[in-house]
Amino acid sequence: MRRFVVIGQTATASGDFSLEDLPSTSGRLDVLLRCVRAALLVSHGLRRDTVVYLVLLGGPLAPRTVRVDGAIATYVRPDERSLAGLVRKVLATPRAGRDAGGPAFTPMPHGFAIAEGGLELVLPDLGSFTPYLLDENAPDIRAAPLALEDPVFFLGDHVGLDDATRARLASAGAVSLSVGPVSVHADDVVAIVANELDRRAPTVAL
Amino acid sequence: MRRFVVIGQTATASGDFSLEDLPSTSGRLDVLLRCVRAALLVSHGLRRDTVVYLVLLGGPLAPRTVRVDGAIATYVRPDERSLAGLVRKVLATPRAGRDAGGPAFTPMPHGFAIAEGGLELVLPDLGSFTPYLLDENAPDIRAAPLALEDPVFFLGDHVGLDDATRARLASAGAVSLSVGPVSVHADDVVAIVANELDRRAPTVAL
């Protein structure tokens, strides 16, 4: 299974943004939505072996995390507006408390789920995993060994990652990797990583 | 200079599509718009050495081609709706005849230009170039020699390329290459090719 965790420093955790002006009203949630497309969709199919987490740290309801599980996802289309509509419905659910010890993620329609917290809820949800931090100026992913069974790739949005997140991922043993000499958009990073994985192990797309 | 020519079999050549439902009303112009982002935009910058052609073969005004020149482009933002708005304005200009022997492309604001035709006008506009056809099941771009001075990458949309286009590109000497074992979306193809080029020669981004 391949997993991507995209951390949106400003992306809104509430569903009150406008589909007519996504970048300005959603704290650049559009950046994260494009990562969902790049991670899950291939030509005429959806990667059933891929899960995406969007950690939303912007707005009054933050932190919240939306999870999209390719194994059960439906209605995931490539255009931003359609993806934004799906995520908006998920975020429109009222922020809820949860039972201590219960599952952090509440299932929603179409393979989505939501949790009322950020990275501290994502890390336990991942179970067994090998963490990689996608970062500028890090060693090249092409030359790096990759754990192909359970890799999890953490990446930031247009703002990058804050020091607390970096420290948390470092203590989880994350290996820093870059996708090349030019710093590219988060969705391009995801596309390039998925391509690197495709070259090392088959994906499951239907 | 790097150039991408994206051929949209159904993408509309007229500006009467809806920004509220881009995929359904534009003949999947959204696929081509995402290629513009992937080709031109990097983190906090725009590739000044990259030009994108969108060959629009759908709708009553087809064929028309929109060119975006990174060297002079302005107001190019990553979200689909913003890109769609820019292209819609370009397409809203009435279809015009042109003087025989005059330039095929009419300059428009923000680094855009439009031509009243398809590939038959793009090929002369390219001047000197080395053509590559991005295709499934072709030899891997990673292992291929690439002309780094003047490469032009031709690719199709979600429908793929028709036989006439393939024949035309073959007669222009296009070398077929793939980006890996999985058939991915056109914008991911562009991102992966740009990454391959970044590894072989520096890009100019500002």
Side-chain angles (χ1 to χ4, degrees):
Chain A
M1 185 163 47
R2 311 167 171 193
R3 289 176 289 187
F4 293 91
V5 181
V6 193
I7 297 162
Q9 296 291 341
T10 62
T12 186
S14 56
D16 56 358
F17 54 85
S18 163
L19 297 181
E20 275 71 52
D21 188 0
L22 201 51
S24 300
T25 63
S26 72
R28 299 305 308 280
L29 181 65
D30 60 306
V31 175
L32 280 70
L33 296 173
R34 289 194 289 275
C35 292
V36 173
R37 186 208 58 74
L40 288 181
L41 297 183
V42 294
S43 294
H44 313 297
L46 195 152
R47 294 184 188 270
R48 296 296 178 190
D49 57 356
T50 299
V51 179
V52 186
Y53 293 81
L54 307 181
V55 180
L56 308 171
L57 302 179
L61 298 187
R64 299 174 99 184
T65 299
V66 171
R67 186 184 69 196
V68 195
D69 184 348
I72 54 172
T74 53
Y75 292 100
V76 175
R77 300 203 178 89
D79 63 296
E80 276 169 40
R81 190 185 170 96
S82 160
L83 283 167
L86 283 177
V87 169
R88 191 166 70 164
K89 277 186 194 163
V90 172
L91 293 177
T93 55
R95 191 171 160 87
R98 68 179 179 97
D99 299 334
F105 282 84
T106 304
M108 305 286 292
H110 307 311
F112 285 71
I114 188 165
E116 303 298 339
L119 204 54
E120 77 282 3
L121 296 184
V122 172
L123 293 176
D125 195 60
L126 293 169
S128 169
F129 68 102
T130 307
Y132 300 95
L133 170 57
L134 296 164
D135 211 357
E136 296 174 33
N137 303 317
D140 190 344
I141 190 171
R142 280 199 191 178
L146 291 174
L148 297 175
E149 280 299 312
D150 57 3
V152 179
F153 297 91
F154 296 85
L155 67 160
D157 57 5
H158 62 299
V159 178
L161 294 171
D162 62 299
D163 290 342
T165 301
R166 287 181 181 280
R168 187 152 210 154
L169 293 175
S171 72
V175 174
S176 289
L177 298 173
S178 81
V179 297
V182 175
S183 179
V184 295
H185 285 183
D187 46 335
D188 292 335
V189 171
V190 169
I192 294 163
V193 169
N195 180 253
E196 183 64 30
L197 291 173
D198 288 342
R199 292 163 172 281
R200 301 198 192 191
T203 190
V204 183
L206 288 174
Chain B
M1 185 161 49
R2 311 167 171 193
R3 290 177 288 188
F4 294 91
V5 181
V6 193
I7 296 160
Q9 298 291 343
T10 63
T12 184
S14 56
D16 57 358
F17 54 85
S18 163
L19 298 180
E20 276 70 54
D21 187 1
L22 201 52
S24 300
T25 63
S26 73
R28 298 305 311 278
L29 181 64
D30 61 304
V31 175
L32 280 70
L33 297 173
R34 289 194 289 275
C35 292
V36 173
R37 186 208 58 75
L40 288 181
L41 297 183
V42 294
S43 294
H44 313 298
L46 195 150
R47 294 185 190 268
R48 296 298 179 188
D49 58 355
T50 300
V51 179
V52 185
Y53 294 81
L54 306 181
V55 180
L56 307 171
L57 301 179
L61 298 186
R64 299 173 99 184
T65 300
V66 172
R67 185 184 69 196
V68 196
D69 183 349
I72 55 172
T74 53
Y75 292 98
V76 176
R77 299 202 178 90
D79 63 296
E80 273 168 41
R81 189 185 171 97
S82 161
L83 283 167
L86 283 176
V87 170
R88 191 167 69 163
K89 277 186 193 163
V90 172
L91 294 177
T93 57
R95 189 170 161 90
R98 67 181 181 98
D99 299 334
F105 282 84
T106 304
M108 304 287 291
H110 308 310
F112 285 71
I114 188 165
E116 304 297 341
L119 204 54
E120 76 284 1
L121 296 184
V122 172
L123 293 175
D125 195 60
L126 293 169
S128 169
F129 68 102
T130 307
Y132 299 96
L133 170 57
L134 296 164
D135 212 358
E136 295 174 33
N137 304 318
D140 189 345
I141 190 172
R142 280 200 192 177
L146 291 174
L148 297 176
E149 280 300 311
D150 58 3
V152 178
F153 298 91
F154 297 85
L155 66 161
D157 57 5
H158 62 298
V159 178
L161 294 171
D162 62 299
D163 289 342
T165 300
R166 288 181 180 280
R168 188 152 210 155
L169 294 175
S171 73
V175 174
S176 290
L177 297 174
S178 81
V179 296
V182 175
S183 180
V184 296
H185 285 183
D187 48 335
D188 292 336
V189 172
V190 170
I192 293 163
V193 169
N195 180 254
E196 183 64 29
L197 291 173
D198 288 343
R199 293 163 171 279
R200 301 201 194 190
T203 188
V204 182
L206 289 173

